[in-house]
Amino acid sequence: MARLYESRKRILVTGGAGFLGSHLIDRLIEQGHEVICADNLFTGAKRNFEHLHNHPRFEFLRHDVCNPLKLEVDEIYNLACPASPVHYQHNPVLTTKTSVMGALNMLGLARRLRCRIFQASTSEVYGDPDVHPQREDYWGHVNPIGLRACYDEGKRCAETLFFDYHRAHGVDIKVARIFNTYGPRMHPRDGRVVSNFIMQALTGEDLTIYGDGTQTRSFCYCDDLVEGFLRLMDQPVGFTGPVNLGNPGEFTMTELAELVLKLTGSRSKVTHLPLPEDDPKQRKPDIALAQAKLGWQPRVPLAEGLARTIAYLRHIG
């Protein structure tokens, strides 16, 4: 126990009431750390951490990262930002502010404390890519004035701030680019394709495919992704990323719909609607850097992860 206490850190997780943030907190608590979860509950939910109620090493702080935060911590994970189109397009100005002002405030805190800070960036920085699969040295193909720009450009600007703070002020940064992720604690109506298909199948609605169904995504299970977070955060000073974290297994929307129907036993049909503006046609990570530097690769097969996600969404209704 003495060794565990000596290695214990006090860690801030912004956006910790969200889907991924809450899974990250579980792992940090499991490792013996003290965790402060900061979240304004715009898209996060208290049910995601209710199992930690009264836990001696967990603290919840209702806070918007657009405002400065004064705490004493050893590490920061910055995950705060609406991450699904339904949520980030609901208030696009707030989305951009959360990405940019949140990054500034958390970087300012990390600079003051001289502590390591992790940025949850996104594959959306690549936009609708004309390079496939996407490598970290690809600069992207993004519409800066489209409906998705509040999120895409907000995250791109946040990466700029992280690297400028690193170069100008010596802040110890780690930047991960997250590809499509799914699993228990997803919001049932967040507009992402996995939760959409599952909820439609469970309620007997038609599964809605936008476009002809040939567009592809790569789906990473939440536990695999969090393992990537932890391994990146443990890398030596100087290795900053960005690092792609995602599952390179590529599936068309039609294949995903068919698998969801099979796993739920649903008799729902599939319908097609026009493709939304700037919706990427292909999305697949090149994870060679993560494999080489982190010794990381996803392990949970899509069918297994979907079965766990279906069970969760069926339970919460």
Side-chain angles (χ1 to χ4, degrees):
M1 290 300 294
R3 181 179 298 176
L4 176 64
Y5 180 80
E6 288 169 4
S7 63
R8 179 180 294 175
K9 297 175 183 175
R10 184 171 167 84
I11 300 174
L12 171 64
V13 179
T14 70
F19 159 48
L20 287 176
S22 62
H23 284 289
L24 172 62
I25 287 173
D26 283 348
R27 284 292 305 275
L28 294 172
I29 291 288
E30 180 184 302
Q31 291 181 346
H33 301 301
E34 298 177 30
V35 180
I36 300 172
C37 166
D39 202 301
N40 66 356
L41 300 180
F42 178 64
T43 59
K46 287 185 177 180
R47 68 169 176 264
N48 288 339
F49 58 79
E50 63 185 357
H51 58 289
L52 295 173
H53 183 62
N54 290 330
H55 194 288
R57 288 185 281 105
F58 175 78
E59 179 181 349
F60 172 64
L61 179 64
R62 188 157 187 168
H63 181 82
D64 189 328
V65 294
C66 291
N67 301 312
L69 183 59
K70 292 185 178 181
L71 290 172
E72 299 297 321
V73 295
D74 302 305
E75 287 183 350
I76 301 169
Y77 286 84
N78 185 39
L79 275 67
C81 189
S84 71
V86 166
H87 291 146
Y88 66 64
Q89 291 176 14
H90 174 71
N91 191 334
V93 174
L94 178 62
T95 297
T96 303
K97 286 178 65 178
T98 301
S99 288
V100 178
M101 295 303 299
L104 280 168
N105 287 325
M106 292 306 105
L107 284 163
L109 179 61
R111 182 188 179 192
R112 179 178 71 81
L113 297 176
R114 298 182 179 179
C115 74
R116 179 167 291 184
I117 181 169
F118 173 99
Q119 168 66 1
S121 191
T122 173
S123 62
E124 297 296 336
V125 300
Y126 299 124
D128 186 5
D130 48 19
V131 170
H132 191 75
Q134 292 79 58
R135 289 166 37 111
E136 291 87 352
D137 58 4
Y138 174 54
W139 291 356
H141 178 227
V142 177
N143 177 1
I145 59 172
L147 291 175
R148 303 169 68 100
C150 59
Y151 186 66
D152 300 4
E153 296 289 23
K155 288 289 192 177
R156 285 163 68 94
C157 184
E159 284 197 15
T160 299
L161 289 167
F162 265 71
F163 279 89
D164 283 341
Y165 263 74
H166 173 66
R167 287 185 289 255
H169 304 302
V171 175
D172 184 5
I173 66 168
K174 306 294 181 188
V175 178
R177 290 177 176 165
I178 302 169
F179 283 68
N180 291 66
T181 307
Y182 69 101
R185 302 182 194 166
M186 293 187 79
H187 192 291
R189 299 291 179 184
D190 66 4
R192 301 186 202 191
V193 65
V194 170
S195 52
N196 271 2
F197 282 178
I198 292 174
M199 292 306 298
Q200 288 168 342
L202 292 178
T203 56
E205 302 174 33
D206 289 344
L207 272 63
T208 306
I209 292 180
Y210 294 93
D212 62 7
T214 60
Q215 67 270 36
T216 66
R217 295 292 185 273
S218 303
F219 302 101
C220 186
Y221 189 65
C222 53
D223 290 355
D224 284 334
L225 190 77
V226 168
E227 177 65 25
F229 288 1
L230 298 173
R231 293 192 185 198
L232 175 56
M233 200 61 154
D234 284 343
Q235 291 302 299
V237 173
F239 181 72
T240 60
V243 179
N244 287 340
L245 293 178
N247 194 322
E250 191 175 12
F251 295 85
T252 68
M253 296 301 94
T254 297
E255 289 171 332
L256 178 65
E258 291 172 348
L259 185 54
V260 167
L261 290 173
K262 177 182 177 181
L263 292 172
T264 57
S266 174
R267 296 184 178 181
S268 296
K269 306 298 182 184
V270 173
T271 61
H272 292 262
L273 294 175
L275 200 64
E277 179 184 347
D278 299 325
D279 193 60
K281 310 299 187 301
Q282 290 180 304
R283 185 61 58 73
K284 175 182 177 178
D286 181 318
I287 63 168
L289 182 61
Q291 289 172 317
K293 291 290 188 178
L294 313 183
W296 176 88
Q297 62 182 20
R299 301 190 180 280
V300 178
L302 181 60
E304 181 181 333
L306 283 177
R308 298 179 194 174
T309 310
I310 290 166
Y312 169 79
L313 291 174
R314 195 192 300 271
H315 173 70
I316 68 168

